[in-house]
Amino acid sequence: MPGGAYKPLKNDDLEKIHKAALEILSSIGIADATPEVIEFSLKSGCSINEGRLCFPKSLIEDVLSKAANDYVVYSRNPCHADLHVGNYRVHYATSGEAVTILEFDSKSYRPSKLIDLYDACRLVDKLEYIHQFGQTVIPTEISDLDEHDFNVAYALVSGTEKPFEMTFNRAKNIKGAIEMFDIVLGGEGRFSKKPFCTFGGCPIVSPLRFAKDNLDVLVETSKLGLINDIAIAPQAGATAPVTLAGTLAQVTAEGLACLAVVNFIRPGCPMSFAIWPFISDLRTGSFSGGSGEEALIVAAAVQIGKFYDLPTTVPSCMTDSKIPDAQAGYEKGISAILAGLAGGNRILESAGMLGSLMGCSFEALVIDNEMLGSIQRVIRGIEVTEETLSVKEIKEVALGEGHYLGHKQTLEHMQSEFLYPKLADRTPPGEWEENGSKDIFNRAHEIVCKILSSYYPNHISSKIDKEIRDKFPILLSLNSM
C-alpha cells in the first residue's frame, strides 16, 4: 500500500525543521554518551562541549548520504508477506509493552503475564490486517532481566510466523536470542541472512540525553548489522517544547543523533527513523495518545522521515479510553488513518492498546484489526482504468434492466472492490435485537474465545523446542501453550 497523500508540513517547513535540528546537534548536543560511543564519535568528527556530544552539521549531512533507506523483515511462512520497509510502503504492527491486561468479564485491569504475551501473539497470528507482531505486554511476573529477555523472544518466535519486533533489557542477551532464532531456522547464521525480528529500545531520554542501557543495545545491534528498531518519544510541554514545531525540531535532532551513532559503527546499517513525538495533557501532565494533536504530529514525523528518505516507524491507534468504546474508536481511527495516508512504513501501537498505552485488550486487538482493514482499503485508493470507468456496463444497464446487482462486472469485482466486515454489524435494528443486541465489544470477545480455544500454533517442532529449552531458561510450560 503506497501512502504519502497526506502532508501536513510544507516543503519550507521541512527545511526549517531540518536546519533547527542541525543547529541543536551542533550547538547543544546530546548528554550522557557512554565512553564507547564518545570514543568512536570523536574519531568520526564529533566534539565534546561541556560534557555533551556535539555533531557538526556537515557530519550529519554525510551520515544522511550514506544511511540505509530501506530494509526487509522476513516472514517465516510464505502465507505472510515479508515487510519491505521504505519509500511510502505502509504496514501496520502491534507494540506497546503495556503492564496490564483488560479482563472482559470484570471490565478491570490486572498485571500482564508471560502467557498473555504468548496469547496475544497467537491471536495476532490469525488477524489478517496486522502485518507484524510487536511486544504488546510485559511479563510482569519475571523479575530476572535475563529470563525476561529470553522468554519474550521464545513467546514471540513460538507464537507467530509473522515478522515481529522486541526489545532487550540487556545488550548481552542479543546474541543469545539470535542463537535461539538460528536454532528455529535450522542452522547457525541463518537469522542474519533473513532476519524475521527487529530489535530496539529507547536510546534517548528527552530532552537530548542518551539512555545507557538502550544505547548499549543500539551499539550492539549495529555491530552485528541487525535492524535497529528504536523509538524516541518526547512529550510536548513536558520533555519537549510546548509548540509542535519545537517538539518536531528536538525529536528530529534526537533521531539524527541515533542515526549518526549507528552509521559511525557500521555505515549503511539499517535503522528505522523512529521519531515518536507525544502529546501531554497540560492540565495533568499525563500523556495523551488519543488527542488530535497526536494524530497530526505523528503524520508530520512520517513526513520528516520521508524528507530524509529514511525508513520510518511511528505510533498510532492510541487511545486514552480504558475500554473499546466510542472514544477509543474515534481516537484510534483518526491517528491510524493519518499515519497511513502520510506513508508511515511501519505503524506501531496499531492494535489492542488502551489507557494511554498502559493496558492491552484481546478484544481491542480484534476490533482494531477490522478497523485497519477499512483503513488499508482507504490507503489503497481508487483504481481508474478504462475497465473500471465502466462506460460499456453503464450503457448496458441504463438501456437494459436498470440495476447492476446481477451484472457480470458486479459479480467479478464485488470481492476486490469492497471490503466486508466480519465484526461490524450492518443488520437492521430489528434483526440486531433478535440476535441479542450485542455491541462490538461482546462480538469481539466471542471471536477472541473462538481463536484462543482452538488455535494452538505449532511453529516450532518438539525436537527444536526441547533444544531451546535445554539452552535457555524458558518459563512457558508446554501445557499452557
Side-chain angles (χ1 to χ4, degrees):
M1 296 175 297
Y6 176 56
K7 298 180 179 180
L9 297 171
K10 300 187 292 291
N11 290 337
D12 186 53
D13 297 332
L14 291 166
E15 289 287 352
K16 290 176 180 177
I17 291 169
H18 171 60
K19 290 178 180 178
L22 294 185
E23 177 64 26
I24 290 167
L25 286 173
S26 63
S27 64
I28 303 172
I30 311 292
D32 298 341
T34 59
E36 181 181 20
V37 167
I38 290 173
E39 181 180 358
F40 60 65
S41 296
L42 292 179
K43 289 179 181 178
S44 299
C46 292
S47 61
I48 297 291
N49 183 11
E50 296 184 358
R52 305 179 70 91
L53 189 62
C54 295
F55 301 77
K57 297 178 183 179
S58 60
L59 183 59
I60 294 297
E61 298 282 9
D62 184 59
V63 165
L64 285 166
S65 70
K66 298 175 181 177
N69 56 24
D70 65 0
Y71 59 79
V72 179
V73 195
Y74 292 89
S75 167
R76 287 156 50 214
N77 187 323
C79 73
H80 304 304
D82 299 334
L83 305 189
H84 189 182
V85 182
N87 201 280
Y88 285 94
R89 292 179 289 269
V90 178
H91 311 88
Y92 286 90
T94 64
S95 66
E97 297 186 64
V99 294
T100 60
I101 282 281
L102 176 64
E103 290 281 8
F104 173 81
D105 291 332
S106 64
K107 306 297 187 292
S108 61
Y109 285 87
R110 60 165 175 79
S112 54
K113 297 182 178 180
L114 181 61
I115 189 64
D116 297 316
L117 178 61
Y118 175 72
D119 285 346
C121 196
R122 65 188 177 104
L123 182 61
V124 168
D125 207 40
K126 299 292 285 183
L127 300 179
E128 64 269 46
Y129 302 115
I130 301 174
H131 306 117
Q132 180 182 22
F133 184 80
Q135 189 178 342
T136 50
V137 295
I138 290 174
T140 60
E141 80 273 30
I142 305 177
S143 57
D144 183 279
L145 297 183
D146 298 325
E147 285 187 352
H148 183 283
D149 286 349
F150 293 128
N151 277 278
V152 168
Y154 176 79
L156 272 55
V157 78
S158 59
T160 185
E161 289 182 314
K162 290 182 178 181
F164 61 83
E165 60 90 17
M166 64 171 292
T167 61
F168 286 89
N169 291 295
R170 291 179 171 168
K172 68 183 183 68
N173 292 330
I174 295 172
K175 289 182 179 178
I178 293 172
E179 181 184 1
M180 183 189 299
F181 298 157
D182 278 343
I183 292 171
V184 170
L185 293 175
E188 183 179 352
R190 295 196 177 188
F191 175 78
S192 62
K193 293 178 181 177
K194 283 194 170 184
F196 52 76
C197 174
T198 59
F199 304 101
C202 302
I204 292 284
V205 177
S206 300
L208 301 170
R209 292 164 48 216
F210 284 118
K212 181 187 182 306
D213 290 342
N214 281 302
L215 182 60
D216 289 342
V217 170
L218 185 71
V219 169
E220 180 68 9
T221 50
S222 299
K223 288 178 179 177
L224 295 172
L226 302 172
I227 299 168
N228 291 287
D229 204 9
I230 67 171
I232 303 170
Q235 286 185 220
T239 56
V242 69
T243 60
L244 300 190
T247 293
L248 287 171
Q250 178 187 302
V251 74
T252 299
E254 292 167 332
L256 290 174
C258 293
L259 185 72
V261 168
V262 168
N263 282 272
F264 292 162
I265 298 169
R266 194 181 185 106
C269 184
M271 187 195 93
S272 296
F273 192 68
I275 55 174
W276 290 27
F278 281 170
I279 298 298
S280 302
D281 186 322
L282 294 178
R283 297 170 299 183
T284 62
S286 61
F287 160 60
S288 176
S291 64
E293 295 86 359
E294 182 65 35
L296 175 65
I297 201 170
V298 162
V302 171
Q303 200 178 350
I304 292 169
K306 296 300 100 182
F307 173 78
Y308 295 127
D309 192 23
L310 295 171
T312 58
T313 69
V314 290
S316 79
C317 206
M318 299 176 289
T319 180
D320 302 315
S321 180
K322 315 309 178 286
I323 60 172
D325 59 5
Q327 177 186 341
Y330 81 75
E331 289 180 346
K332 289 184 174 207
I334 291 171
S335 65
I337 198 165
L338 289 188
L341 289 174
N345 296 140
R346 287 173 50 245
I347 301 171
L348 276 61
E349 320 280 11
S350 64
M353 306 310 293
L354 295 169
S356 306
L357 301 182
M358 293 300 291
C360 179
S361 161
F362 293 152
E363 289 75 22
L365 281 169
V366 172
I367 295 169
D368 295 342
N369 172 70
E370 185 158 287
M371 178 191 69
L372 293 175
S374 294
I375 288 172
Q376 288 163 35
R377 180 62 188 92
V378 172
I379 296 170
R380 183 182 129 198
I382 298 172
E383 292 79 28
V384 180
T385 65
E386 184 175 349
E387 178 191 1
T388 61
L389 286 170
S390 307
V391 174
K392 178 172 71 71
E393 287 76 16
I394 293 170
K395 180 179 180 181
E396 290 174 356
V397 171
L399 301 179
E401 296 184 9
H403 67 80
Y404 298 87
L405 289 174
H407 195 278
K408 178 183 176 182
Q409 187 193 46
T410 302
L411 298 176
E412 289 177 348
H413 288 267
M414 64 178 292
Q415 294 296 335
S416 60
E417 196 76 0
F418 303 131
L419 184 73
Y420 302 96
K422 300 174 183 176
L423 184 62
D425 188 283
R426 291 179 174 177
T427 60
E431 185 177 341
W432 171 74
E433 291 174 0
E434 290 175 4
N435 292 331
S437 305
K438 297 174 184 176
D439 62 19
I440 196 167
F441 196 11
N442 284 273
R443 294 193 298 274
H445 181 64
E446 291 175 354
I447 293 176
V448 168
C449 291
K450 181 179 179 181
I451 293 175
L452 293 185
S453 65
S454 62
Y455 179 60
Y456 297 95
N458 186 26
H459 298 324
I460 301 176
S461 70
S462 57
K463 179 181 178 182
I464 289 176
D465 190 79
K466 184 179 184 304
E467 185 177 353
I468 291 174
R469 289 176 182 273
D470 288 343
K471 286 180 178 287
F472 300 97
I474 302 304
L475 300 177
L476 270 177
S477 69
L478 291 174
N479 288 337
S480 67
M481 299 170 67

